[in-house]
Amino acid sequence: MGWRLFKWTFRLKSPLYIGFHKVMHFYRTRPYVPGKPLWGALTAKLTPLLGLDDYQKVGEFLKKVIRPGYLYPYIESNEKSELYYPKYTEKGLMFGLLSKYEFEKRFISSMASTAIEAQSLTAEDGMLHEVEFISHYTIDDGKPVFMSGFIWVREFSENDISLSIKDEVIITCLEKKVKFKDQLANRLQLGGERKYGFGLVELHKIVEIKDPKFNELPGEWKEENGEVCISLKRDDPIWAHVKHFENLKIKGDIELLVGREWDPGEGAGKKLEPLGLCWSPGSILLEDRKFIVDGLGIWREI
């Protein structure tokens, strides 16, 4: 059986900080959740649920059975629900119908923080900084903020771990069974500043999407040669990072992505892993294009 598409929506239960870049002592957040923090959060929670102590093994397994799409702020309403994904326009960068300024005024705030010394649990000297975050309530009218996006899942078995999809998605390792919806995805912690309670998300709903189109986002998808492929039209915005390649006709922002990986000697997040030059979400295609989605949610040349 091949890839199947699900839409999942999380209720943001605390401020969310997704590391972007810093200016002096000010740590800026991304206005969305890329695929890699989602993969990392699922790996961190699934490993002990399966009774294992091998995070690398579980992480590599997840890269083979999921393709995480990005999560964007979402406001649910009986009148008109809206997903706030970026798009460059003649008016500049927009998020849904909001300008960048209006979006930040509604969703983004900041607070002063400091690093904690691990042994004494007291503030480290000289580590006071200010952290920007996506608020869990809209700042202007106090509405609950959700994060919504898509994820592809497929049945797969390797060694002693397998994922099956019947009435529900279940991951099995030896005698352990983990229900994807009720046990794994129901509550996650994403991004940075987690020691302070940031990044708590609670699964609001997850539904399978049979239509190849996404409705809230441009484009459509299909499986080709065992890969998840997304097709977009000219003038559509990309809604994930796209790995840079020379013959892509596109306009927007380009950035050098660097991730943090597990280092066997130093521990979690101590190994810097360059992911290369990528076009940022919101960049506009100047031609019809098709992309492959990789295990960390980055789109690549097909």
Side-chain angles (χ1 to χ4, degrees):
M1 184 178 292
W3 292 100
R4 293 166 65 170
L5 176 65
F6 295 83
K7 179 184 177 184
W8 55 353
T9 301
F10 295 92
R11 169 79 166 87
L12 196 52
K13 302 296 287 186
S14 68
L16 173 63
Y17 166 66
I18 301 294
F20 188 16
H21 62 81
K22 68 175 184 176
V23 181
M24 301 296 285
H25 300 296
F26 186 64
Y27 289 68
R28 299 211 59 197
T29 185
R30 292 186 183 277
Y32 50 81
V33 181
K36 188 170 184 180
L38 280 167
W39 164 79
L42 291 171
T43 300
K45 188 172 181 183
L46 177 60
T47 304
L49 284 175
L50 290 175
L52 299 174
D53 191 27
D54 191 337
Y55 289 86
Q56 192 162 6
K57 175 181 177 179
V58 174
E60 291 302 316
F61 175 77
L62 283 177
K63 285 181 183 177
K64 297 172 183 173
V65 298
I66 66 168
R67 294 290 181 267
Y70 286 25
L71 298 180
Y72 290 104
Y74 173 75
I75 298 299
E76 197 168 63
S77 167
N78 292 330
E79 300 171 352
K80 184 183 179 182
S81 300
E82 186 159 10
L83 187 69
Y84 293 87
Y85 65 94
K87 178 181 180 180
Y88 285 97
T89 71
E90 293 180 351
K91 299 178 182 177
L93 183 60
M94 303 283 289
F95 292 84
L97 298 176
L98 301 181
S99 67
K100 181 183 177 185
Y101 170 74
E102 292 169 328
F103 173 83
E104 292 178 342
K105 190 176 177 182
R106 190 172 199 207
F107 289 99
I108 305 296
S109 187
S110 67
M111 63 176 290
S113 183
T114 186
I116 297 296
E117 208 285 321
Q119 294 183 338
S120 65
L121 297 181
T122 58
E124 289 187 33
D125 291 338
M127 294 303 290
L128 181 65
H129 55 283
E130 187 164 0
V131 178
E132 193 178 59
F133 57 83
I134 303 172
S135 176
H136 50 310
Y137 288 97
T138 52
I139 296 166
D140 54 354
D141 54 4
K143 290 182 177 178
V145 174
F146 298 82
M147 302 297 294
S148 186
F150 296 91
I151 184 171
W152 290 263
V153 180
R154 68 168 175 172
E155 290 195 332
F156 185 75
S157 179
E158 183 177 69
N159 299 323
D160 51 357
I161 309 181
S162 63
L163 184 146
S164 62
I165 309 173
K166 291 185 174 63
D167 296 332
E168 57 185 327
V169 179
I170 294 179
I171 299 173
T172 304
C173 180
L174 301 175
E175 301 297 321
K176 292 279 187 178
K177 289 188 178 182
V178 175
K179 296 180 179 179
F180 187 89
K181 177 184 175 183
D182 296 333
Q183 293 176 269
L184 180 56
N186 65 338
R187 194 173 174 86
L188 297 171
Q189 195 170 12
L190 305 171
E193 302 291 307
R194 294 192 296 275
K195 289 181 180 177
Y196 302 95
F198 275 38
L200 284 174
V201 296
E202 192 172 84
L203 187 64
H204 177 58
K205 55 186 170 185
I206 181 169
V207 292
E208 184 169 4
I209 307 296
K210 299 289 187 181
D211 195 318
K213 294 185 178 180
F214 301 99
N215 291 329
E216 297 92 339
L217 292 167
E220 60 184 58
W221 82 280
K222 65 178 179 180
E223 181 173 335
E224 292 184 12
N225 300 319
E227 302 283 356
V228 172
C229 298
I230 293 179
S231 298
L232 295 179
K233 299 291 187 183
R234 176 189 172 96
D235 297 329
D236 281 343
I238 57 173
W239 36 276
H241 283 98
V242 171
K243 187 81 173 177
H244 178 270
F245 53 97
E246 288 187 358
N247 60 344
L248 176 62
K249 295 179 181 178
I250 188 171
K251 61 181 180 181
D253 274 352
I254 194 168
E255 63 176 302
L256 176 63
L257 276 188
V258 179
R260 291 184 175 274
E261 302 280 348
W262 172 267
D263 185 286
E266 300 294 330
K270 297 298 183 182
K271 179 183 175 185
L272 294 179
E273 185 70 23
L275 299 175
L277 289 174
C278 293
W279 291 96
S280 299
S283 300
I284 302 296
L285 285 175
L286 302 178
E287 59 182 346
D288 295 355
R289 265 291 182 177
K290 187 187 300 180
F291 304 97
I292 289 175
V293 184
D294 74 12
L296 297 178
I298 295 175
W299 296 3
R300 299 179 182 275
E301 181 180 14
I302 193 169

